[in-house]
Amino acid sequence: MKNEQGVVASLPVNGQRGAHGFAEKNELRIIGGVWRSRKLLFPDAPGLRPTPGRVRETLFNWLGQDLSGSSCLDLFAGSGALGFEAASRGAQRVVMVEQAPAVCQALQRSIAVLQAADRVQIMQQPVLAYLETASPVFDIVFLDPPFRLSLAPPVCRALESAGRLAATARIYIESEREAKLNDLPENWEVLRQKQSGDVAYALFRRHSA
């Protein structure tokens, strides 16, 4: 999810077409960092469910408000809420992985509005395919897959086996409240976990295997 520095604040919502010539139906607000209070627009799409503001606030209290120098990976990026929030708080590099073309187009528009192309990159491909072919190593990973598809455990194992994590990387996982996060890598330690309504979320730290 992302926020625009005043530029997007002037764009209409509810499917209307704004000055940039595109229609989006939904809006979210960045809650911290240099882009605080800026609004971003994103389309309707199956499974696209922005991380609630209250949950984002808690997460970035856990991570720390200043992410300067960090390399972040936002898997199943959707609205981009987590990745843009990280960039707003100083992350040096944010890679967003998203498969849906229309959602990727909206993410690219948000990057343009925020003038964030030097720090935020979109990869339009399936998450597991990206992990099989990518080479960067990340300090922080956001994993917020569509609910009720049991995607988190295999993606977590792929993150570990593909060597995409720094030695003490932190991994955030968001899921439906009833989900069972079983079969995660044994060298991941739960740092914090919480529930908010129907959403369960947890922060893990990796230890070198």
Side-chain angles (χ1 to χ4, degrees), residues 145-180:
F147 281 1
R148 297 177 179 84
L149 297 179
S150 301
L151 294 173
V155 171
C156 290
R157 294 194 299 271
L159 275 166
E160 184 66 37
S161 62
R164 302 292 166 244
L165 299 173
T168 58
R170 289 176 291 177
I171 305 97
Y172 169 78
I173 302 176
E174 186 173 321
S175 64
E176 65 274 26
R177 185 168 184 162
E178 67 272 18
K180 304 298 182 183

Coordinates of all heavy atoms in Angstrom, one line a residue, residues 145-180:
P145 N 0.2 -13.2 1.8 CA -0.4 -13.8 0.6 C -2.0 -13.8 0.8 O -2.5 -13.5 1.8 CB 0.1 -15.3 0.7 CG 0.3 -15.5 2.2 CD 0.8 -14.2 2.7
P146 N -2.7 -14.1 -0.3 CA -4.1 -14.2 -0.3 C -4.5 -15.2 0.8 O -3.8 -16.3 1.0 CB -4.5 -14.7 -1.7 CG -3.4 -14.2 -2.5 CD -2.2 -14.3 -1.7
F147 N -5.6 -15.0 1.5 CA -6.0 -15.8 2.6 C -6.5 -17.2 2.1 O -7.0 -17.3 1.0 CB -7.0 -15.1 3.5 CG -6.5 -14.1 4.4 CD1 -5.1 -13.8 4.5 CD2 -7.4 -13.4 5.3 CE1 -4.6 -12.9 5.4 CE2 -6.9 -12.5 6.2 CZ -5.5 -12.2 6.2
R148 N -6.4 -18.2 3.0 CA -7.0 -19.5 2.8 C -6.5 -20.3 1.6 O -7.2 -21.1 1.1 CB -8.5 -19.4 2.8 CG -9.1 -18.8 4.1 CD -10.6 -18.6 4.1 NE -11.0 -18.1 5.4 CZ -10.9 -16.8 5.8 NH1 -10.5 -15.9 4.9 NH2 -11.2 -16.4 7.0
L149 N -5.3 -20.0 1.2 CA -4.7 -20.8 0.1 C -3.4 -21.5 0.6 O -2.7 -22.2 -0.2 CB -4.3 -19.9 -1.1 CG -5.5 -19.2 -1.8 CD1 -5.0 -18.3 -2.9 CD2 -6.5 -20.2 -2.3
S150 N -3.1 -21.4 1.9 CA -1.9 -22.1 2.5 C -0.6 -21.8 1.8 O 0.2 -22.7 1.6 CB -2.2 -23.6 2.6 OG -3.4 -23.9 3.3
L151 N -0.4 -20.6 1.4 CA 0.8 -20.2 0.6 C 2.0 -19.9 1.5 O 3.1 -20.0 1.0 CB 0.4 -19.0 -0.3 CG -0.6 -19.3 -1.4 CD1 -0.9 -18.0 -2.1 CD2 -0.1 -20.3 -2.4
A152 N 1.8 -19.4 2.7 CA 2.9 -19.0 3.5 C 4.0 -20.0 3.8 O 5.2 -19.7 3.6 CB 2.4 -18.4 4.8
P153 N 3.6 -21.2 4.2 CA 4.7 -22.2 4.5 C 5.6 -22.5 3.3 O 6.8 -22.5 3.5 CB 3.9 -23.4 5.0 CG 2.7 -22.9 5.6 CD 2.3 -21.7 4.7
P154 N 5.1 -22.8 2.1 CA 6.0 -23.1 1.0 C 6.8 -21.9 0.6 O 8.0 -22.1 0.2 CB 5.1 -23.6 -0.1 CG 3.7 -23.1 0.2 CD 3.7 -23.1 1.7
V155 N 6.3 -20.7 0.7 CA 7.1 -19.6 0.4 C 8.2 -19.3 1.4 O 9.3 -19.0 1.0 CB 6.1 -18.3 0.2 CG1 7.0 -17.0 0.1 CG2 5.2 -18.5 -1.0
C156 N 7.9 -19.5 2.7 CA 8.9 -19.4 3.7 C 10.0 -20.4 3.5 O 11.2 -20.0 3.6 CB 8.3 -19.6 5.1 SG 7.2 -18.3 5.6
R157 N 9.7 -21.6 3.1 CA 10.7 -22.6 2.9 C 11.6 -22.2 1.7 O 12.8 -22.4 1.6 CB 10.1 -24.0 2.7 CG 9.4 -24.5 4.0 CD 9.1 -26.0 3.9 NE 8.2 -26.3 2.8 CZ 6.9 -26.3 2.9 NH1 6.3 -26.0 4.1 NH2 6.1 -26.6 1.9
A158 N 10.9 -21.7 0.6 CA 11.6 -21.3 -0.6 C 12.5 -20.1 -0.3 O 13.7 -20.0 -0.8 CB 10.6 -20.9 -1.7
L159 N 12.1 -19.2 0.6 CA 13.0 -18.0 1.0 C 14.2 -18.6 1.6 O 15.3 -18.1 1.3 CB 12.2 -17.2 2.0 CG 11.3 -16.1 1.5 CD1 10.4 -15.5 2.6 CD2 12.1 -14.9 0.8
E160 N 14.1 -19.5 2.5 CA 15.3 -20.1 3.2 C 16.2 -20.9 2.2 O 17.4 -20.7 2.2 CB 14.8 -20.9 4.3 CG 15.9 -21.5 5.2 CD 16.7 -20.4 5.9 OE1 16.1 -19.4 6.4 OE2 17.9 -20.6 6.1
S161 N 15.6 -21.7 1.5 CA 16.4 -22.6 0.6 C 17.0 -21.9 -0.6 O 18.1 -22.3 -1.0 CB 15.5 -23.8 0.1 OG 14.5 -23.3 -0.7
A162 N 16.4 -20.8 -1.0 CA 16.9 -20.0 -2.1 C 18.0 -19.1 -1.7 O 18.6 -18.4 -2.6 CB 15.8 -19.3 -2.8
G163 N 18.3 -18.9 -0.4 CA 19.3 -18.0 0.0 C 19.0 -16.6 -0.2 O 19.9 -15.8 -0.5
R164 N 17.8 -16.2 0.0 CA 17.4 -14.8 -0.2 C 17.4 -14.0 1.1 O 17.0 -12.8 1.1 CB 16.0 -14.8 -0.8 CG 15.8 -15.5 -2.1 CD 16.7 -14.8 -3.2 NE 16.8 -15.7 -4.4 CZ 18.0 -16.1 -4.8 NH1 19.1 -15.8 -4.2 NH2 18.0 -16.9 -5.9
L165 N 17.8 -14.6 2.2 CA 17.7 -13.9 3.5 C 19.0 -13.6 4.1 O 19.9 -14.5 4.1 CB 16.9 -14.8 4.5 CG 15.4 -15.1 4.1 CD1 14.9 -16.1 5.0 CD2 14.6 -13.8 4.0
A166 N 19.2 -12.4 4.6 CA 20.4 -12.0 5.3 C 20.5 -12.9 6.6 O 19.5 -13.5 7.0 CB 20.4 -10.6 5.7
A167 N 21.7 -12.9 7.2 CA 21.9 -13.9 8.3 C 20.9 -13.7 9.4 O 20.5 -14.6 10.1 CB 23.3 -13.7 8.8
T168 N 20.6 -12.4 9.7 CA 19.6 -12.2 10.8 C 18.4 -11.4 10.3 O 17.8 -10.5 10.9 CB 20.2 -11.3 11.9 OG1 20.7 -10.1 11.4 CG2 21.4 -12.1 12.6
A169 N 17.9 -11.8 9.1 CA 16.8 -11.2 8.5 C 15.5 -11.3 9.4 O 15.4 -12.3 10.1 CB 16.5 -11.9 7.1
R170 N 14.6 -10.4 9.2 CA 13.3 -10.4 9.9 C 12.3 -10.7 8.8 O 12.3 -10.0 7.8 CB 13.1 -9.2 10.7 CG 14.0 -9.1 11.9 CD 13.8 -7.8 12.6 NE 14.3 -6.6 11.9 CZ 14.3 -5.4 12.2 NH1 13.7 -5.0 13.4 NH2 14.8 -4.4 11.5
I171 N 11.3 -11.5 9.2 CA 10.3 -11.9 8.2 C 8.9 -11.7 8.9 O 8.6 -12.2 10.0 CB 10.4 -13.4 7.8 CG1 11.8 -13.7 7.3 CG2 9.3 -13.8 6.8 CD1 12.7 -14.3 8.3
Y172 N 8.1 -10.9 8.2 CA 6.7 -10.6 8.7 C 5.8 -11.5 7.9 O 5.8 -11.5 6.7 CB 6.4 -9.1 8.5 CG 4.9 -8.8 8.7 CD1 4.4 -8.7 10.0 CD2 4.1 -8.6 7.6 CE1 3.1 -8.4 10.2 CE2 2.8 -8.3 7.8 CZ 2.3 -8.2 9.1 OH 0.9 -7.8 9.3
I173 N 4.9 -12.2 8.6 CA 3.9 -13.0 8.0 C 2.5 -12.6 8.5 O 2.2 -12.5 9.7 CB 4.1 -14.5 8.3 CG1 5.5 -15.0 7.9 CG2 3.0 -15.4 7.6 CD1 5.8 -16.4 8.2
E174 N 1.6 -12.3 7.5 CA 0.2 -12.0 7.8 C -0.7 -13.1 7.3 O -0.5 -13.5 6.1 CB -0.1 -10.6 7.2 CG -1.5 -10.1 7.6 CD -1.7 -8.6 7.1 OE1 -0.7 -7.9 7.2 OE2 -2.8 -8.3 6.7
S175 N -1.7 -13.5 8.0 CA -2.6 -14.6 7.6 C -3.9 -14.4 8.2 O -4.2 -13.6 9.1 CB -2.0 -15.9 8.0 OG -1.9 -16.0 9.4
E176 N -4.9 -15.3 7.8 CA -6.2 -15.3 8.4 C -6.0 -15.9 9.9 O -5.1 -16.7 10.1 CB -7.1 -16.2 7.7 CG -6.8 -17.7 7.5 CD -5.9 -18.0 6.4 OE1 -5.1 -17.1 6.0 OE2 -5.9 -19.1 5.9
R177 N -6.8 -15.5 10.8 CA -6.7 -15.8 12.2 C -6.6 -17.3 12.4 O -5.8 -17.8 13.3 CB -7.9 -15.2 13.0 CG -7.8 -15.4 14.5 CD -8.8 -14.5 15.2 NE -8.6 -14.6 16.6 CZ -9.2 -13.7 17.5 NH1 -9.9 -12.7 17.0 NH2 -9.0 -13.9 18.7
E178 N -7.3 -18.1 11.7 CA -7.3 -19.5 11.9 C -6.2 -20.3 11.3 O -6.1 -21.5 11.4 CB -8.7 -20.1 11.5 CG -8.9 -20.1 10.0 CD -9.6 -18.8 9.5 OE1 -9.5 -17.8 10.2 OE2 -10.1 -18.8 8.4
A179 N -5.4 -19.6 10.5 CA -4.3 -20.3 9.8 C -3.3 -20.9 10.8 O -3.0 -20.4 11.8 CB -3.6 -19.3 8.9
K180 N -2.7 -22.0 10.4 CA -1.7 -22.7 11.2 C -0.4 -22.6 10.4 O -0.2 -23.1 9.3 CB -2.0 -24.2 11.3 CG -3.4 -24.5 12.0 CD -3.4 -23.9 13.4 CE -4.8 -24.2 14.1 NZ -4.9 -23.6 15.4

